[in-house]
Every structure is written in C-alpha cells, then in structure tokens.
Amino acid sequence: MMPSSLAAVRCIWPLGARLGEGPLWSEREQALYWTDILGCQLHRYTPESGEQRSWVFHEYICAVAERERVDSAGSLIVTLKSGFAYFDTVHSALTRLHDPEPELHGNRFNDGKVDAAGRFWAGTMDFDCEQPTGSLYRFDADGSCTHIEGGYAVSNGPAWSLDGRTMYHNDTAAGRVYAYDFDVRTGGLANRRLFLQIDADDGYPDGMTTDAQGGLWIARFGGGKVVRHLADGTAERSIELPVSNVTSCTFGGRGLSTLFITTATHKLDEAARLQQPLAGGLFSIEIPGIHGLPANRFAG
C-alpha cells in the first residue's frame, strides 16, 4: 500500500469542529458543504473565493445533500436528530419532512448519500455508539420513508460502485464494511456480504466516497488516515493526516480532483488535543491521476 506524504495534505479551515462530517461538493455552487454534527452547524467553503459561511441549528445536523429542484423550501435536504428536512440557505429556514424514530430518544442520524435515481439513503446510530438501535433508511422523492435494516450501533455511508450495481454500507462500531447487490430501478438491496473487516488498531470505517476509476475511499476514525480500496477490497493507498479522528471524505474542486477530508475533536482528551492542534479541521489534498464523481441530487 502506497502512503501519502503528510506535507501533501493541507488544513484549509482549522475550525476545530467537534464532529466534522458529511462533506458534499456542490457542482451548482462550486462549493463544499459539511456538517459539525455535535456542534449543530452546517458549513460551506468556496475554494475560488476562500469564502467560509456557517449556519447554526438548534439540534444536531448530520448529513446534507442537494435537491434537484430549488424552490421556496431551499436547495438542500438534510438529516437532523429529529429526521429529514429541507433547508433554505438564503433564509436559514427549515421545512421538516419526516422523523422515522420519534420514540428512540437515544438515537440520532449520522451519515447519508443520494443514489443515482435521486433517493436519499441515511442511517441512524446510538448516541453512545454502543446499543444496536441504529437503522438504515431510504427516503424517496414522493416523501415515503422505508426502513431497510437495523441492528447498527453506528451506521455510516453509503457509497456505490462505479457501475452502480453494488452499494457499500458501514457498521462502524464493529469495523465492518458490507456490500450489497443494488437495484437502481427499485432501490432494492440483496445479498449482503462482508466486504472488509477492519481491525480497531487500524481505525474504524467511517464516511466514504467512490472515485471515477472505481476506487472506494474510506475514512478511518481513530486511524488518522483515508484508505483507498480496489474493487476486490485490496488497500491500494493511504492518505495520512496529522490528526487521528478522520470522519469522511469526498472529491470536489475543479475537475473533481481535490479530496476534501473532515475530522473531529470528539473523543480526544486534553493531551491529544494539544498534540493535534488541527483536529476538527477541514483538509484537502490533490490526487494526481484520480478524480471523483459528481454528487447525485435528491429528486424531490
């Protein structure tokens, strides 16, 4: 496996986020959205101008995706602790859509992505990362929400293979990355199997993204890196960071050739924070010869 040089990674926003997550590159705005879940904030970074903007919420904001159409409810769909919502960045206004777990007060949403047909997949987790109360949901453009499966202490992902026929989803607390046969027409999953089992000493599998060459990039929480895996699971290269709690990644920028990486201060004690002054920052690195795929937009 080919490691990167630490010098190649830049901290472009040393924000000190408690739990930076969910990076989304907007082709429409040429900007990167990302969340600080525990800090209850949504951030936007525009590389061309260097502009940084943040929105503060009254509850955890977890995952973010763009909508195909922009109307009075706004251009984004998000998950909050209390479920799915549209968000209007112009007026800082929420339109709440659906809460699939109103009775599970110890749960919150975590990661989420949109598939090629415009459906928003998002998972929940136990706040303490211990009880298997988390589930994976599919939210469709007609407003219907389908419970796909449960039993997760920490749900993460998903991501899809280059041909769109395989979906990946992480059981972070157990160190497992699962693969499923995916039917893009129906949004159905079948044949769940173990794609990777990652030892805790190597970090926990967190957020992930697919590149245009078919590689699967998986952030390693506690492992201080992002690892690129080939279709057979082989670890092909590792991007090392100067912080341990690496949470997610996505490609963006001109030509989608920049890998943006989110990190967290969460679970770092005072000594670790002193050793990792850039923890919770937003990082970037140029990956020669590799570029990403445009993010799918929610069809609603």
Side-chain angles (χ1 to χ4, degrees), residues 245-266:
N245 293 344
V246 182
T247 56
S248 193
C249 58
T250 198
F251 283 91
R254 292 189 179 276
L256 299 175
S257 62
T258 302
L259 186 68
F260 292 100
I261 304 167
T262 54
T263 66
T265 60
H266 183 51

Side-chain angles (χ1 to χ4, degrees), residues 13 29 31-34 42-46 51-55 89:
W13 193 348
E29 300 180 29
L32 184 86
Y33 284 96
W34 58 294
L42 173 68
H43 304 295
R44 185 177 64 196
Y45 170 70
T46 307
E51 180 189 18
Q52 300 169 348
R53 183 174 178 186
S54 300
W55 294 263
T89 59

Side-chain angles (χ1 to χ4, degrees), residues 8 13 28 71 76 93 104 112 124 132 149 153 162 169 209 213 231 243 245-246 252 254 259 284-285 290:
W13 193 348
R28 188 158 55 201
D71 56 24
L76 301 178
L104 295 179
T124 60
E149 62 180 9
L162 191 57
H169 185 239
T209 192
Q213 289 72 35
V243 300
N245 293 344
V246 182
R254 292 189 179 276
L259 186 68
S284 72
I285 182 172
I290 294 178

Side-chain angles (χ1 to χ4, degrees), residues 50-71:
E51 180 189 18
Q52 300 169 348
R53 183 174 178 186
S54 300
W55 294 263
V56 178
F57 290 72
H58 296 296
E59 61 179 298
Y60 301 135
I61 175 168
C62 308
V64 57
E66 282 193 299
R67 301 175 61 198
E68 187 61 49
R69 63 174 179 261
V70 180
D71 56 24

Side-chain angles (χ1 to χ4, degrees), residues 36-41 56-62 79-83 85 94 96 99:
D36 179 356
I37 297 177
L38 300 183
C40 303
Q41 294 184 69
V56 178
F57 290 72
H58 296 296
E59 61 179 298
Y60 301 135
I61 175 168
C62 308
T79 57
L80 306 163
K81 184 183 187 299
S82 60
L94 278 171
R96 296 182 185 275
D99 181 0

Side-chain angles (χ1 to χ4, degrees), residues 165-167 179-183 188-193:
R165 298 172 62 182
T166 301
M167 191 182 94
Y180 306 74
D181 295 339
F182 180 71
D183 187 333
L189 298 181
N191 188 28
R192 185 174 95 161
R193 63 238 181 230

Side-chain angles (χ1 to χ4, degrees), residues 180-201:
Y180 306 74
D181 295 339
F182 180 71
D183 187 333
V184 69
R185 183 181 62 85
T186 65
L189 298 181
N191 188 28
R192 185 174 95 161
R193 63 238 181 230
L194 186 65
F195 178 68
L196 291 171
Q197 177 69 59
I198 297 172
D199 190 279
D201 291 340

